[in-house]
Amino acid sequence: MEENIKKLQEIVDQSDNIVFFGGAGVSTESGIPDFRSVDGLYHQKYDFPPETILSHTFFVRNTKEFYRFYRDKMLCLDVQPNAAHKKLAEMEQKGKLKAVVTQNIDGLHQMAGSKNVLELHGSVHRNYCQRCHKGYDAAYMLNYEGEVPLCECGGVIKPDVVLYEEGLDQQTIQDSIYYISQADVMIIGGTSLAVYPAAGLIDYFKGSHLVVINKSPTPRDKFADLLISDSIGKVLGSLQV
């Protein structure tokens, strides 16, 4: 492990054009549950799997049940950035990291201080009325007293998160492709790379060093110049920048 950290330190030291691509594993270390991990409590409380509840069709047809799950499992507003979030922000401030491309919707990268964050799947911190398009923050959604959060105009408010059956924002995709294709070093962390089209963006990387930091295997492990099977917070937190 120490040898791998040393190699990663050398790679980071030699580059000022790094892009980080991350997923749920980055935030689980802050206490945000990966909704794909199924527990007994979940089975007792919900009649549908998460992938069904978090779909566009379900949101339209079963809005009350969608929000019961969304508020319970997705709105984790009392969590704090961990060592990985903080180190990435520091790397950006020092001019080494050009962008964070994330599949997460929790806003923890921004809370840690990162500026150039490309949120492939949106954010719980942006919510819009479907009728008049007025914006609302996450606290409004969490603390709304009714079952379905409504705008002052009476319209249903929808989170600015990409649900199943919905397409990714094209500008975010284009920006992600730009930074990934221009990067000298790409660090992939805390993601199984199982969710497409997000995971397909890795194909645009043509740089010199691909680093994968993940506790479980990923489809890109065999292409990695450096593979570290450990905690993303522990690994990134040990770097000096």
Side-chain angles (χ1 to χ4, degrees), residues 54-79:
L54 296 174
S55 68
H56 179 82
T57 298
F58 195 93
F59 174 81
V60 172
R61 295 178 180 174
N62 303 276
T63 313
K64 289 182 181 179
E65 185 69 9
F66 170 89
Y67 270 116
R68 192 163 76 93
F69 178 88
Y70 181 79
R71 284 166 157 175
D72 187 31
K73 292 287 189 178
M74 310 299 285
L75 286 180
C76 305
L77 304 187
D78 56 348
V79 296

Short mmCIF file of all heavy atoms in Angstrom, two decimals, residues 54-79:
data_model
loop_
_atom_site.label_atom_id
_atom_site.label_comp_id
_atom_site.label_asym_id
_atom_site.label_seq_id
_atom_site.Cartn_x
_atom_site.Cartn_y
_atom_site.Cartn_z
N LEU A 54 -36.62 5.74 -8.49
CA LEU A 54 -35.87 6.87 -9.03
C LEU A 54 -35.92 6.92 -10.55
O LEU A 54 -34.92 7.21 -11.22
CB LEU A 54 -34.41 6.81 -8.54
CG LEU A 54 -34.25 6.96 -7.03
CD1 LEU A 54 -32.81 6.73 -6.62
CD2 LEU A 54 -34.73 8.33 -6.56
N SER A 55 -37.09 6.67 -11.10
CA SER A 55 -37.29 6.74 -12.54
C SER A 55 -38.27 7.87 -12.85
O SER A 55 -39.07 8.27 -12.00
CB SER A 55 -37.84 5.42 -13.09
OG SER A 55 -39.17 5.20 -12.64
N HIS A 56 -38.19 8.37 -14.07
CA HIS A 56 -39.06 9.46 -14.48
C HIS A 56 -40.53 9.02 -14.44
O HIS A 56 -41.39 9.77 -13.96
CB HIS A 56 -38.70 9.90 -15.90
CG HIS A 56 -39.57 11.02 -16.41
ND1 HIS A 56 -39.35 12.34 -16.09
CD2 HIS A 56 -40.69 11.00 -17.19
CE1 HIS A 56 -40.27 13.08 -16.67
NE2 HIS A 56 -41.10 12.31 -17.34
N THR A 57 -40.79 7.81 -14.90
CA THR A 57 -42.17 7.31 -14.92
C THR A 57 -42.74 7.24 -13.52
O THR A 57 -43.89 7.64 -13.28
CB THR A 57 -42.22 5.91 -15.58
OG1 THR A 57 -41.78 6.01 -16.93
CG2 THR A 57 -43.63 5.35 -15.55
N PHE A 58 -41.95 6.73 -12.58
CA PHE A 58 -42.42 6.60 -11.20
C PHE A 58 -42.66 7.97 -10.59
O PHE A 58 -43.65 8.18 -9.87
CB PHE A 58 -41.40 5.81 -10.36
CG PHE A 58 -41.95 5.33 -9.04
CD1 PHE A 58 -42.51 4.06 -8.94
CD2 PHE A 58 -41.90 6.12 -7.90
CE1 PHE A 58 -43.02 3.60 -7.73
CE2 PHE A 58 -42.41 5.67 -6.70
CZ PHE A 58 -42.97 4.41 -6.60
N PHE A 59 -41.78 8.93 -10.87
CA PHE A 59 -41.95 10.29 -10.35
C PHE A 59 -43.29 10.87 -10.81
O PHE A 59 -44.00 11.50 -10.03
CB PHE A 59 -40.81 11.19 -10.82
CG PHE A 59 -41.00 12.63 -10.43
CD1 PHE A 59 -40.68 13.07 -9.16
CD2 PHE A 59 -41.51 13.55 -11.34
CE1 PHE A 59 -40.87 14.40 -8.79
CE2 PHE A 59 -41.71 14.88 -10.98
CZ PHE A 59 -41.38 15.31 -9.69
N VAL A 60 -43.63 10.65 -12.06
CA VAL A 60 -44.87 11.19 -12.62
C VAL A 60 -46.10 10.47 -12.06
O VAL A 60 -47.09 11.10 -11.68
CB VAL A 60 -44.85 11.10 -14.16
CG1 VAL A 60 -46.20 11.49 -14.74
CG2 VAL A 60 -43.75 11.99 -14.73
N ARG A 61 -46.02 9.16 -11.96
CA ARG A 61 -47.19 8.35 -11.60
C ARG A 61 -47.37 8.17 -10.08
O ARG A 61 -48.48 7.96 -9.60
CB ARG A 61 -47.11 6.98 -12.27
CG ARG A 61 -47.20 7.03 -13.78
CD ARG A 61 -47.06 5.64 -14.37
NE ARG A 61 -47.13 5.66 -15.83
CZ ARG A 61 -46.92 4.59 -16.61
NH1 ARG A 61 -46.63 3.42 -16.05
NH2 ARG A 61 -47.00 4.69 -17.92
N ASN A 62 -46.25 8.18 -9.35
CA ASN A 62 -46.29 7.91 -7.91
C ASN A 62 -45.48 8.96 -7.16
O ASN A 62 -44.54 8.65 -6.43
CB ASN A 62 -45.74 6.52 -7.60
CG ASN A 62 -46.46 5.41 -8.34
OD1 ASN A 62 -47.50 4.94 -7.90
ND2 ASN A 62 -45.90 4.99 -9.46
N THR A 63 -45.84 10.22 -7.35
CA THR A 63 -45.03 11.33 -6.83
C THR A 63 -44.90 11.29 -5.31
O THR A 63 -43.82 11.55 -4.77
CB THR A 63 -45.62 12.68 -7.27
OG1 THR A 63 -45.92 12.63 -8.68
CG2 THR A 63 -44.64 13.80 -7.02
N LYS A 64 -45.96 10.95 -4.61
CA LYS A 64 -45.90 10.88 -3.15
C LYS A 64 -44.90 9.82 -2.69
O LYS A 64 -44.09 10.06 -1.79
CB LYS A 64 -47.28 10.56 -2.57
CG LYS A 64 -48.27 11.70 -2.65
CD LYS A 64 -49.59 11.31 -2.00
CE LYS A 64 -50.61 12.44 -2.12
NZ LYS A 64 -51.91 12.06 -1.51
N GLU A 65 -44.93 8.64 -3.30
CA GLU A 65 -44.02 7.56 -2.91
C GLU A 65 -42.58 7.90 -3.30
O GLU A 65 -41.64 7.58 -2.58
CB GLU A 65 -44.45 6.24 -3.56
CG GLU A 65 -43.63 5.03 -3.15
CD GLU A 65 -43.84 4.62 -1.69
OE1 GLU A 65 -44.75 5.17 -1.04
OE2 GLU A 65 -43.08 3.77 -1.22
N PHE A 66 -42.43 8.58 -4.44
CA PHE A 66 -41.10 9.03 -4.85
C PHE A 66 -40.50 9.92 -3.77
O PHE A 66 -39.35 9.74 -3.36
CB PHE A 66 -41.19 9.80 -6.17
CG PHE A 66 -39.90 10.52 -6.54
CD1 PHE A 66 -38.92 9.87 -7.28
CD2 PHE A 66 -39.67 11.83 -6.13
CE1 PHE A 66 -37.72 10.52 -7.60
CE2 PHE A 66 -38.49 12.49 -6.45
CZ PHE A 66 -37.51 11.83 -7.18
N TYR A 67 -41.28 10.89 -3.31
CA TYR A 67 -40.76 11.83 -2.33
C TYR A 67 -40.56 11.20 -0.95
O TYR A 67 -39.69 11.63 -0.19
CB TYR A 67 -41.65 13.07 -2.24
CG TYR A 67 -41.19 14.13 -3.22
CD1 TYR A 67 -42.00 14.53 -4.28
CD2 TYR A 67 -39.94 14.70 -3.09
CE1 TYR A 67 -41.57 15.49 -5.18
CE2 TYR A 67 -39.49 15.65 -4.00
CZ TYR A 67 -40.30 16.04 -5.03
OH TYR A 67 -39.85 16.97 -5.94
N ARG A 68 -41.31 10.17 -0.64
CA ARG A 68 -41.09 9.47 0.63
C ARG A 68 -39.70 8.85 0.64
O ARG A 68 -38.96 8.94 1.62
CB ARG A 68 -42.18 8.40 0.83
CG ARG A 68 -42.21 7.82 2.24
CD ARG A 68 -43.51 7.10 2.52
NE ARG A 68 -43.57 5.80 1.88
CZ ARG A 68 -43.21 4.65 2.49
NH1 ARG A 68 -42.77 4.67 3.73
NH2 ARG A 68 -43.32 3.50 1.87
N PHE A 69 -39.34 8.23 -0.47
CA PHE A 69 -38.01 7.61 -0.60
C PHE A 69 -36.93 8.68 -0.73
O PHE A 69 -35.88 8.62 -0.08
CB PHE A 69 -37.98 6.69 -1.83
CG PHE A 69 -36.64 6.06 -2.08
CD1 PHE A 69 -36.31 4.85 -1.48
CD2 PHE A 69 -35.70 6.67 -2.90
CE1 PHE A 69 -35.07 4.27 -1.70
CE2 PHE A 69 -34.46 6.10 -3.13
CZ PHE A 69 -34.14 4.89 -2.52
N TYR A 70 -37.18 9.67 -1.57
CA TYR A 70 -36.19 10.72 -1.87
C TYR A 70 -35.78 11.46 -0.60
O TYR A 70 -34.59 11.67 -0.35
CB TYR A 70 -36.77 11.68 -2.90
CG TYR A 70 -35.85 12.79 -3.32
CD1 TYR A 70 -34.82 12.57 -4.23
CD2 TYR A 70 -36.01 14.08 -2.79
CE1 TYR A 70 -33.96 13.60 -4.61
CE2 TYR A 70 -35.17 15.12 -3.17
CZ TYR A 70 -34.14 14.87 -4.08
OH TYR A 70 -33.30 15.88 -4.44
N ARG A 71 -36.73 11.86 0.19
CA ARG A 71 -36.42 12.59 1.42
C ARG A 71 -35.69 11.71 2.43
O ARG A 71 -34.79 12.16 3.14
CB ARG A 71 -37.71 13.10 2.06
CG ARG A 71 -38.30 14.32 1.36
CD ARG A 71 -39.71 14.52 1.86
NE ARG A 71 -40.18 15.88 1.69
CZ ARG A 71 -41.42 16.26 1.95
NH1 ARG A 71 -42.28 15.39 2.41
NH2 ARG A 71 -41.78 17.51 1.76
N ASP A 72 -36.06 10.44 2.47
CA ASP A 72 -35.50 9.53 3.46
C ASP A 72 -34.08 9.10 3.09
O ASP A 72 -33.20 9.01 3.95
CB ASP A 72 -36.41 8.30 3.57
CG ASP A 72 -35.99 7.36 4.69
OD1 ASP A 72 -35.45 7.85 5.69
OD2 ASP A 72 -36.20 6.15 4.56
N LYS A 73 -33.84 8.85 1.82
CA LYS A 73 -32.58 8.24 1.39
C LYS A 73 -31.64 9.18 0.64
O LYS A 73 -30.42 8.96 0.62
CB LYS A 73 -32.88 7.03 0.48
CG LYS A 73 -33.52 5.86 1.19
CD LYS A 73 -32.53 5.13 2.06
CE LYS A 73 -33.10 3.82 2.61
NZ LYS A 73 -32.12 3.10 3.43
N MET A 74 -32.15 10.21 0.00
CA MET A 74 -31.32 11.01 -0.89
C MET A 74 -30.96 12.39 -0.32
O MET A 74 -29.95 12.97 -0.71
CB MET A 74 -32.03 11.22 -2.24
CG MET A 74 -32.57 9.93 -2.86
SD MET A 74 -31.29 8.71 -3.23
CE MET A 74 -30.57 9.43 -4.70
N LEU A 75 -31.79 12.92 0.56
CA LEU A 75 -31.52 14.24 1.12
C LEU A 75 -30.75 14.11 2.44
O LEU A 75 -31.33 14.11 3.52
CB LEU A 75 -32.83 15.01 1.34
CG LEU A 75 -33.50 15.53 0.07
CD1 LEU A 75 -34.79 16.26 0.41
CD2 LEU A 75 -32.57 16.46 -0.70
N CYS A 76 -29.45 13.98 2.32
CA CYS A 76 -28.57 13.85 3.50
C CYS A 76 -27.86 15.19 3.70
O CYS A 76 -26.71 15.37 3.26
CB CYS A 76 -27.57 12.73 3.28
SG CYS A 76 -28.32 11.14 2.86
N LEU A 77 -28.54 16.13 4.33
CA LEU A 77 -28.03 17.51 4.39
C LEU A 77 -27.15 17.80 5.60
O LEU A 77 -26.60 18.88 5.71
CB LEU A 77 -29.21 18.48 4.37
CG LEU A 77 -30.19 18.34 3.19
CD1 LEU A 77 -31.20 19.46 3.20
CD2 LEU A 77 -29.43 18.31 1.86
N ASP A 78 -27.00 16.83 6.51
CA ASP A 78 -26.20 17.07 7.71
C ASP A 78 -24.81 16.44 7.61
O ASP A 78 -24.08 16.39 8.59
CB ASP A 78 -26.92 16.54 8.95
CG ASP A 78 -27.28 15.06 8.83
OD1 ASP A 78 -27.17 14.51 7.73
OD2 ASP A 78 -27.67 14.46 9.86
N VAL A 79 -24.44 15.95 6.43
CA VAL A 79 -23.12 15.31 6.26
C VAL A 79 -22.07 16.35 5.89
O VAL A 79 -22.40 17.45 5.42
CB VAL A 79 -23.17 14.20 5.19
CG1 VAL A 79 -24.09 13.07 5.64
CG2 VAL A 79 -23.62 14.75 3.85
#
